[in-house]
Amino acid sequence: MSDGNDSSRDEVGHGAGTGPRAVRYSLPIALLRAREAVMSHFRPMLAAHGVTEQQWRVIRVLKEAGTLDASEVAERAFILAPSLTRMIRSLEERNFISKHKDSSDGRRVLLTLAPAGEAIIKDVLPDSQAIYDALEEKFGKARLGELLELLDELAAWSRDDEPACAEE
């Protein structure tokens, strides 16, 4: 059993040989672990308000951006288009959003936050703020701000920025 001081690994978990990074130092796994830790606080709160995290992302995107094409909502909310199609039906039935055809392009479906969607945001806001306050108390406002800045930088990294793989 390791005591955490594995001398065959460097400071970011690279193996001494050609093996993979230690799981603790795998960025994709670390991001998933952090996401689950954060969402373990938000999921029950959203469920208590009768919305899923995916529905909440759609509602938040529309609140922030206003009227958007369905494909833009899917992209900004990180939801696959087929899932969004089903979700639109549900959110529309609950009067959280309204949809209509784009007058200049009948193929485009435009989505807008409806008054009930505005109301759910107002209902959720105090509970959401309490979770953010707890995060700030635990980690510090400055550190959370720094984390969000770093994550924004990381999210902006595109495949075009990747170094070319050397051919052997």
Side-chain angles (χ1 to χ4, degrees):
M1 196 158 116
S2 174
D3 63 0
N5 294 322
D6 186 348
S7 61
S8 67
R9 299 206 173 266
D10 66 17
E11 67 277 0
V12 291
H14 289 113
T18 59
R21 294 175 183 268
V23 170
R24 178 172 180 244
Y25 295 102
S26 165
L27 182 59
I29 291 174
L31 289 169
L32 288 168
R33 221 177 19 247
R35 178 186 189 280
E36 287 308 309
V38 170
M39 290 310 298
S40 73
H41 297 276
F42 282 97
R43 261 187 219 108
M45 180 271 296
L46 291 171
H49 288 279
V51 293
T52 66
E53 63 183 276
Q54 294 85 2
Q55 290 170 335
W56 182 245
R57 290 197 312 259
V58 169
I59 290 167
R60 292 273 318 266
V61 163
L62 290 173
K63 172 66 176 169
E64 190 173 305
T67 301
L68 288 175
D69 173 275
S71 62
E72 292 172 302
V73 172
E75 184 179 318
R76 291 183 187 198
F78 296 94
I79 295 172
L80 297 174
S83 298
L84 180 63
T85 301
R86 288 187 299 274
M87 199 178 311
I88 289 170
R89 243 178 273 125
S90 171
L91 291 171
E92 194 176 25
E93 286 169 4
R94 296 175 68 187
N95 297 316
F96 287 155
I97 65 170
S98 60
K99 73 175 185 179
H100 59 278
K101 296 277 186 189
D102 184 337
S103 59
S104 63
D105 182 351
R107 297 168 297 175
R108 290 181 66 205
V109 175
L110 299 176
L111 306 175
T112 305
L113 194 61
E118 296 278 355
I120 193 70
I121 288 175
K122 286 180 184 161
D123 289 345
V124 169
L125 190 59
D127 294 335
S128 178
Q129 188 58 53
I131 294 169
Y132 276 103
D133 291 346
L135 280 166
E136 286 181 2
E137 185 175 317
K138 182 161 181 68
F139 297 102
K141 191 173 189 169
R143 285 180 69 204
L144 279 178
E146 183 180 353
L147 176 60
L148 288 169
E149 291 294 325
L150 289 168
L151 290 170
D152 279 346
E153 285 181 43
L154 185 59
W157 183 48
S158 71
R159 291 198 45 83
D160 294 338
D161 295 333
E162 286 186 39
C165 294
E167 291 186 12
E168 295 182 3

